[in-house]
Amino acid sequence: MAEIVSEALIGRLADWGVDTVFGLPGDGINGIMEGLRRQQDRVRFVLVHHEEAAAFMATAHAKATGKLGVCLATSGPGGIHLLNGLYDAKLDHMPVLAITGMQETALLGTGYQQEVNLDKLYEDVAEYDQMIYNPAQLPTVVDNAVRTAYARRGVAHLTVPNDIQVADAGADPWQHVAPARPPETAPVMLSAPGKPSEHDLERVADLLGDGKKIAVLAGAGARHARAELLAVAEALAAPIVKTLSGKDTVPDDSPYTTGGIGLLGTRPSEDLMGDIDTLLMVGTNFPYTKYLPEPGKVRVAQIEADPIRAGARIPTEVPVVGDAKQALAGLLPLLKPRSDTKFLEKYQKEMGKWRKDMAALQDAGRDPIAPQYLVSVLDELAADDAVLTCDSGTIATWAARHWHVRGGREFFLSGNLATMAPGLPYAIGIQHAMPGRQVIAFVGDGGFAMLMAEFITAIKHKLPVKIVINNNNALGQILWEQMILGYPEYGVREPEPFADFAALATANGALGIKVERAGDVRGAVQQALSHNGPALVDVNVNPDEPPLPGKVEYDQAKKFAQAFLKGQPRKATIATTLFRDKIDQLKA
Ligand SMILES: Cc1ncc(C[n+]2csc(CCOP(=O)(O)OP(=O)(O)O)c2C)c(N)n1
Ligand SMILES: [Mg+2]
């Protein structure tokens, strides 16, 4: 049997170390499916229910393993479905390859069924975007796609017409006017130089040496540099602030961190940013500049892997390009250790208070169930090396504040695209890559409902993922955003009764538990975590629990009051919750 192009394509990906492809077949990719069938000993195909989820799974694979994630979709609608997940990869700088089908070459441009110019559609999302017209383009275009995805840390896209998919891989149908089939190179990614120059590191050390009140801001690019971050913080007696994507850079209980920053961050981090004279940014392109020090007020050094992003957010005196771990390791011996720890201690004290305030909100006695309590139970019972995935919504705030990174715990969500729905597919993608790990998705009812068919994917693939749904029967995040704008909520609550997602699980042979009383939370979470298979805990929580910012500004409070005056529904229950939160914090 002669080798077909699709077989060579998948084989070449296997040479690059690809072992999993997430996707859903269609008449536009039957040839590629045959390539996967022939290569099934080397590459596993994971059948999903929605292509968007396949792209999220590929993104999660890249986030958790550092290796290329691959997703596959048919021509037209399948390719369109991938896009949201691919933008998630693009915005969080993850190497992902999308393979799509295309009309056969003889029909291109004729308006044949499902003809969508996916290569044009993907122009914005993809760093490398190529149609394969001729078998002789292989393996070069595959190599270029993979190399680009890694080197530019983004999306590569290959679209393959139906006839080319099943063409003889050795065919070379046309006369050449220039040499075809460039030589094959070993499929090895040569990593870019990682350590900044000594000169650059000395400039960083000098700037830090002049600082009296220093903070470190760490992001996802420093996830592999925990020991170095902590050592630098110790040497400088400087607190570490973490972006949400960088939540697992250092443990939440470290004396060197003031936790998160931004709307869902901590009050100490917010205070700290207004108090420092020097900032060291490491592995972060934190977009919410409102939460960074005002331009001109502090001196800034930044260690950033991508030259394009170095110094791009706030005026930066010393932007340095390099790998976070190697840069910090190189910086350490150049630092003059600071013996004055007063500034650090001030924020350690503030953090002690913040931790108490947060613990006070984890009240088991509340009815309806406080989301903070739900997360605290999950936090307590989950393994020390659990992986938590999360969605955009109030859930991100609850996870940011009440889920504690400790030991080998990891944390993933859609950082910059901030899309709903990746929590569940992320968990599936990661569980495939890490079969032995406890993988938990903490998601909202809105985000879960968007791609809930993927829970059936988890069941069919016998993946022991654990899903915990913070079911507030609402698009909670937006509800609070509307009120903060000064308007009463509109179009953000689901009609009662609350959906029963546990029934979806039990009806399909998985463990599903619906929880409506706080007293049942612990037992349900425990049962799910110890269950040897996929499990889902659907918890009806207080729909009137606001995710308040760490520091409520006067203007926000005023807008809130305006929304109340303009006829905000459920005023009484919201006020009660707010009141109780404040009293509990005061009690703490
Ligand atoms: C695809 C997509 N649509 C809409 C939004 C805007 N949005 C952000 S959070 C959110 C609410 C999410 O609801 P849910 O998953 O139930 O979480 P909750 O906020 O209620 O905890 C919405 C609509 C988004 N980020 N992504
Ligand atoms: Mg919700």
Side-chain angles (χ1 to χ4, degrees):
M1 198 163 42
E3 191 188 40
I4 59 172
V5 164
S6 298
E7 191 178 359
L9 167 72
I10 302 298
R12 190 61 180 164
L13 289 177
D15 293 344
W16 274 98
V18 169
D19 57 16
T20 310
V21 173
F22 302 96
L24 195 146
D27 43 2
I29 47 171
N30 282 329
I32 297 181
M33 292 308 296
E34 172 61 11
L36 278 161
R37 191 188 69 82
R38 293 188 192 184
Q39 298 281 11
Q40 59 188 291
D41 293 343
R42 299 182 74 197
V43 176
R44 123 185 94 172
F45 175 69
V46 176
L47 175 60
V48 305
H49 285 84
H50 192 302
E51 292 89 351
E52 179 182 357
F56 282 138
M57 290 174 199
T59 305
H61 178 91
K63 283 189 173 183
T65 67
K67 294 213 263 173
L68 184 77
V70 184
C71 53
L72 169 66
T74 193
S75 52
I80 295 168
H81 268 181
L82 285 180
L83 274 176
N84 195 43
L86 294 179
Y87 270 99
D88 184 36
K90 174 187 167 82
L91 269 64
D92 279 352
H93 318 294
M94 287 299 132
V96 166
L97 170 67
I99 304 169
T100 62
M102 181 52 74
Q103 276 48 49
E104 54 178 89
T105 48
L107 292 172
L108 287 174
T110 66
Y112 190 70
Q113 184 241 13
Q114 285 189 345
E115 182 168 344
V116 175
N117 288 307
L118 291 176
D119 49 339
K120 289 186 189 157
L121 184 67
Y122 279 40
E123 253 169 28
D124 182 57
V125 76
E127 305 289 334
Y128 184 86
D129 183 20
Q130 186 59 52
M131 175 125 63
I132 300 182
Y133 303 88
N134 185 329
Q137 286 170 278
L138 250 57
T140 311
V141 289
V142 179
D143 291 356
N144 285 350
V146 176
R147 256 197 295 269
T148 308
Y150 275 124
R152 302 263 187 270
R153 300 201 60 78
V155 174
H157 172 228
L158 291 173
T159 189
V160 196
N162 263 325
D163 50 335
I164 305 294
Q165 289 170 27
V166 293
D168 179 343
D172 194 357
W174 311 109
Q175 185 185 338
H176 294 297
V177 290
R181 287 204 192 276
E184 210 164 300
T185 309
V188 182
M189 177 66 194
L190 306 173
S191 55
K195 192 177 162 198
S197 73
E198 206 59 20
H199 171 71
D200 279 350
L201 290 176
E202 271 161 18
R203 288 183 61 214
V204 177
D206 283 350
L207 185 143
L208 295 171
D210 291 342
K212 301 267 178 300
K213 299 170 167 187
I214 310 173
V216 179
L217 176 64
R223 292 184 65 240
H224 61 307
R226 176 177 291 182
E228 292 76 9
L229 273 173
L230 289 171
V232 166
E234 188 184 351
L236 296 170
I240 301 169
V241 178
K242 305 186 287 181
T243 69
L244 189 57
S245 299
K247 183 172 170 63
D248 53 10
T249 48
V250 299
D252 281 303
D253 59 2
S254 162
Y256 288 102
T257 188
T258 55
I261 183 176
L263 201 56
L264 30 65
T266 69
R267 186 181 176 123
S269 289
E270 215 170 322
D271 288 343
L272 177 66
M273 282 294 155
D275 195 14
I276 51 175
D277 58 28
T278 308
L279 178 65
L280 172 64
M281 293 168 68
V282 188
T284 176
N285 188 31
F286 184 69
Y288 306 100
T289 44
K290 171 180 148 190
Y291 290 92
L292 295 177
E294 276 174 51
K297 284 222 167 139
V298 298
R299 298 180 69 198
V300 180
Q302 183 180 11
I303 296 166
E304 165 58 54
D306 185 343
I308 295 169
R309 296 196 293 264
R313 289 289 179 211
I314 49 172
T316 305
E317 208 173 309
V318 186
V320 165
V321 176
D323 168 75
K325 189 180 175 75
Q326 296 185 48
L328 292 175
L331 178 66
L332 259 174
L334 307 178
L335 294 176
K336 237 183 359 245
R338 283 165 56 91
S339 52
D340 182 355
T341 53
K342 269 205 217 69
F343 186 68
L344 175 65
E345 281 161 25
K346 175 179 167 192
Y347 282 93
Q348 288 175 333
K349 229 161 122 195
E350 262 208 48
M351 261 322 264
K353 160 111 185 37
W354 173 264
R355 287 187 178 108
K356 273 203 194 115
D357 282 354
M358 290 302 104
L361 299 179
Q362 301 167 182
D363 185 348
R366 284 197 186 185
D367 172 42
I369 299 166
Q372 298 96 326
Y373 171 62
L374 170 61
V375 186
S376 74
V377 171
L378 188 61
D379 181 50
E380 183 197 325
L381 298 178
D384 278 349
D385 67 346
V387 178
L388 190 79
T389 69
C390 191
D391 269 359
S392 297
T394 65
I395 43 243
T397 298
W398 310 136
R401 295 180 180 167
H402 302 274
W403 170 263
H404 297 111
V405 168
R406 57 172 192 251
R409 281 186 177 178
E410 294 184 85
F411 178 77
F412 299 104
L413 85 175
S414 169
N416 289 301
L417 186 61
T419 176
M420 286 167 71
L424 169 63
Y426 268 23
I428 292 173
I430 293 168
Q431 190 79 82
H432 266 297
M434 302 174 166
R437 286 286 277 281
Q438 184 181 69
V439 184
I440 307 166
F442 177 64
V443 295
D445 52 306
F448 180 77
M450 273 187 174
L451 288 176
M452 65 184 176
E454 299 309 330
F455 189 68
I456 296 175
T457 304
I459 296 173
K460 306 237 180 218
H461 287 263
K462 298 190 171 52
L463 293 174
V465 291
K466 313 298 177 213
I467 314 301
V468 177
I469 303 176
N470 185 77
N471 190 345
N472 54 14
N473 203 36
L475 302 171
Q477 180 70 25
I478 308 305
L479 190 164
W480 302 108
E481 284 172 10
Q482 290 176 347
M483 287 179 70
I484 290 281
L485 262 180
Y487 304 129
E489 63 170 73
Y490 184 69
V492 282
R493 291 204 203 241
E494 294 285 349
E496 304 244 353
F498 284 42
D500 183 355
F501 299 112
L504 168 82
T506 47
N508 287 284
L511 175 66
I513 310 172
K514 181 75 172 177
V515 178
E516 293 174 283
R517 290 195 340 236
D520 297 332
V521 169
R522 173 176 289 272
V525 171
Q526 198 139 37
Q527 200 187 337
L529 291 181
S530 54
H531 181 69
N532 184 20
L536 185 156
V537 186
D538 175 17
V539 185
N540 290 5
V541 297
N542 184 1
D544 296 315
E545 180 72 48
L548 289 181
K551 218 166 145 176
V552 181
E553 287 161 16
Y554 171 72
D555 195 46
Q556 290 170 327
K558 198 171 88 183
K559 290 279 175 50
F560 220 75
Q562 282 171 358
F564 265 52
L565 292 174
K566 287 181 192 157
Q568 165 63 32
R570 304 171 70 109
K571 274 190 284 222
T573 40
I574 293 171
T576 315
T577 310
L578 280 170
F579 226 62
R580 271 215 297 211
D581 282 359
K582 203 65 226 163
I583 290 172
D584 284 343
Q585 286 184 23
L586 289 173
K587 277 197 298 204

